[in-house]
Amino acid sequence: AFVCQMRLKKRDFTFGGCATEMRGRWNHSLDVLAATRELVCKTPMVRLLTGVGGNSYRFTHLTLQEYLAAKYLFRLYGHDAQQLWEQHKDDPFSRWKQEVLHFVACLLSQEIFEEFCELVLKSDDGTGAHCELVLDFLKERGDSEVVLKKVRDKLHTIRGTAFLIAGLCHPSMELRTLVLSEMISFGVPSD
């Protein structure tokens, strides 16, 4: 799942196309890998993979692929927020990484989750998109006052009071509504 989702970035795959990387990541004997392949492809009750023609397969549901990729990442880097972010920072909003990030965020301990969110927020390019991503994590995982405060602080740094005042005083009703909506959504100002 990890190889398909994070490395190949595609849903359909052949075992031959991802065999080298799978073997490199597999920590058991190759006999176990072959038995696992047999189990997930051919056992009617398990059927995690579905043949889609020729030698191509896909996970029966994309969410399963995303979850298993997240579980693998968590197993490798769940104890190290920096290493975990390194795996995603190049494009956390890609369709191949965003759901995996949501799953991983839910698996992390509170301490690592807070560190991870801080790294995500530090990577924000001034648009606030990373703040939205962290808020999505909170929706999935549940509230964390520590992380929410970090989001508010980051937004205040990005937007600043002058931006809010200018937006609220702008002649365009659409812009005023947008600024108010953002203030409500992010809880800015906090008091």
Side-chain angles (χ1 to χ4, degrees), residues 139-157:
K139 286 177 193 169
E140 295 283 333
R141 182 186 167 96
D143 284 338
S144 165
E145 286 302 317
V146 172
V147 173
L148 197 53
K149 181 179 180 342
K150 289 178 184 185
V151 172
R152 284 187 188 126
D153 292 348
K154 181 65 174 185
L155 277 173
H156 186 71
T157 301

Side-chain angles (χ1 to χ4, degrees), residues 109-124:
S109 70
Q110 186 63 28
E111 179 184 343
I112 300 295
F113 175 69
E114 290 171 7
E115 289 176 37
F116 182 69
C117 289
E118 191 169 330
L119 292 167
V120 173
L121 292 170
K122 282 181 182 176
S123 300
D124 196 279

Side-chain angles (χ1 to χ4, degrees), residues 13-159:
F13 65 95
T14 63
F15 282 103
C18 58
T20 303
E21 187 161 353
M22 281 176 56
R23 280 188 206 106
R25 295 181 175 283
W26 190 255
N27 294 329
H28 308 285
S29 79
L30 293 180
D31 292 338
V32 174
L33 181 60
T36 302
R37 179 178 170 185
E38 186 75 21
L39 176 69
V40 298
C41 295
K42 298 184 179 168
T43 304
M45 291 187 61
V46 176
R47 204 79 160 157
L48 296 176
L49 299 176
T50 303
V52 291
N55 290 329
S56 293
Y57 292 90
R58 73 167 40 165
F59 282 86
T60 53
H61 199 286
L62 184 57
T63 303
L64 179 60
Q65 179 175 318
E66 292 162 341
Y67 173 74
L68 291 172
K71 199 71 169 150
Y72 180 78
L73 278 170
F74 174 73
R75 202 172 87 228
L76 288 179
Y77 307 114
H79 60 285
D80 186 338
Q82 181 69 45
Q83 286 289 339
L84 185 58
W85 182 237
E86 289 294 320
Q87 302 300 311
H88 289 86
K89 72 178 186 177
D90 61 321
D91 191 10
F93 303 102
S94 81
R95 70 182 215 137
W96 298 105
K97 293 186 178 181
Q98 196 163 5
E99 283 303 315
V100 173
L101 272 173
H102 287 153
F103 279 122
V104 169
C106 290
L107 295 169
L108 297 173
S109 70
Q110 186 63 28
E111 179 184 343
I112 300 295
F113 175 69
E114 290 171 7
E115 289 176 37
F116 182 69
C117 289
E118 191 169 330
L119 292 167
V120 173
L121 292 170
K122 282 181 182 176
S123 300
D124 196 279
D125 59 2
T127 63
H130 288 75
C131 295
E132 286 281 352
L133 183 61
V134 170
L135 286 177
D136 287 345
F137 296 162
L138 291 172
K139 286 177 193 169
E140 295 283 333
R141 182 186 167 96
D143 284 338
S144 165
E145 286 302 317
V146 172
V147 173
L148 197 53
K149 181 179 180 342
K150 289 178 184 185
V151 172
R152 284 187 188 126
D153 292 348
K154 181 65 174 185
L155 277 173
H156 186 71
T157 301
I158 293 170
R159 303 288 196 263

